[in-house]
Amino acid sequence: MPKVTEEYIQNKKKMIINAAYALCLRQTVSTVTMQDIINETGLSQGGIYRFFKDIDDIFSNMLLFLRQKESIKQKVDEILAQADELPPGEITNLIFDMLADFMKRELMGVEKIDFELSILAMNDPARVDKILKNIPDTGNMEYLTKRTMEYFIEQASVGRIHPRVTVEELLSFISSAYTGIQTTCIVNNCYRHEGNPLTQFFQPEIQLKTLAKTVNYLIGEE
């Protein structure tokens, strides 16, 4: 019997992960079953279980792959590296322009899956904990929050910004507002509500530009 190579194993895993991702784009995450993945890949049930323990193990590996593939960490670092050269308001605009581009590009992909996982977490938190527990990598938003907190604290300490609220209050507001914008854009673009006259305004670039203006006001940029 021929020896199974590591390349063969990784290719099979990638095929299964890609199938799960394709299914998550066509369906809601909570409705994807192991049988769906079997049908999508053409592999037998034993062929799937040879590489993954269960469907949640597949989802866990899929999310890890997507986090690495769709990372914004380098772009965040590149923007904040210009903190001493650009006015704080321009740094804010660059960050939110980058987020708008990411959200628009991944609205029907990573953003949709993250949103559906958050819904699943409300109904089955133990399952989502199981999916996420083996993902050691820091997510995009966690990394952005950490770096922007450092940035705001440093800029305030040297008098380049004069926040109207505490840094903690500012970041909690940004996080809440971003989540609300993300949810609104996903619902109105992925699960369309026909006839809503505001649908054209529920677009990442429009919503996040308004949020950037609000953040600039809160950090003391008129």
Side-chain angles (χ1 to χ4, degrees):
M1 187 173 181
K3 182 180 179 181
V4 175
T5 65
E6 182 62 27
E7 181 181 8
Y8 172 86
I9 293 171
Q10 293 306 317
N11 285 340
K12 285 294 184 184
K13 284 186 172 182
K14 186 176 180 181
M15 181 180 74
I16 295 166
I17 288 170
N18 286 341
Y21 179 63
L23 286 162
C24 286
L25 299 188
R26 298 202 302 266
Q27 303 170 212
T28 57
V29 172
S30 61
T31 64
V32 176
T33 65
M34 185 63 84
Q35 187 60 52
D36 291 330
I37 294 176
I38 290 169
N39 295 340
E40 186 82 6
T41 60
L43 296 173
S44 67
Q45 183 170 322
I48 300 285
Y49 283 111
R50 182 180 181 185
F51 302 102
F52 297 100
K53 293 182 291 186
D54 53 29
I55 191 168
D56 291 339
D57 189 26
I58 297 173
F59 284 160
S60 183
N61 279 269
M62 177 188 76
L63 289 171
L64 180 58
F65 171 75
L66 291 174
R67 278 194 175 186
Q68 293 169 342
K69 177 175 176 287
E70 301 298 340
S71 176
I72 63 171
K73 296 175 186 177
Q74 182 177 346
K75 291 180 180 177
V76 170
D77 289 342
E78 289 172 357
I79 292 170
L80 294 181
Q82 305 174 72
D84 293 334
E85 305 165 15
L86 299 177
E90 194 167 338
I91 293 292
T92 300
N93 292 337
L94 287 172
I95 288 174
F96 282 101
D97 284 346
M98 179 267 297
L99 286 173
D101 180 66
F102 175 78
M103 189 185 288
K104 184 177 180 180
R105 188 175 70 251
E106 289 298 327
L107 199 63
M108 303 291 283
V110 173
E111 297 280 89
K112 171 184 179 291
I113 291 171
D114 281 346
F115 170 71
E116 290 174 354
L117 280 171
S118 67
I119 299 299
L120 181 60
M122 288 188 275
N123 298 306
D124 193 350
R127 184 183 178 196
V128 174
D129 284 344
K130 178 186 172 187
I131 292 170
L132 297 178
K133 73 175 183 178
N134 293 320
I135 303 179
D137 194 34
T138 304
N140 283 327
M141 292 305 109
E142 293 93 335
Y143 185 78
L144 178 60
T145 299
K146 175 180 177 294
R147 294 286 283 115
T148 50
M149 176 176 278
E150 294 168 349
Y151 165 73
F152 285 137
I153 290 173
E154 180 185 1
Q155 294 294 298
S157 70
V158 296
R160 296 195 74 206
I161 63 172
H162 304 279
R164 291 176 162 90
V165 295
T166 68
V167 170
E168 291 77 13
E169 289 170 334
L170 177 60
L171 287 170
S172 65
F173 167 75
I174 293 171
S175 177
S176 298
Y178 181 86
T179 300
I181 290 169
Q182 179 190 48
T183 300
T184 300
C185 289
I186 289 170
V187 168
N188 282 275
N189 288 275
C190 298
Y191 322 101
R192 291 193 182 277
H193 289 267
E194 299 298 336
N196 186 340
L198 294 178
T199 296
Q200 63 178 314
F201 298 105
F202 293 142
Q203 303 302 324
E205 58 271 32
I206 295 174
Q207 296 288 307
L208 289 172
K209 189 175 290 293
T210 301
L211 180 55
K213 291 178 181 178
T214 305
V215 170
N216 277 334
Y217 171 78
L218 289 174
I219 64 174
E221 291 284 296
E222 298 294 346

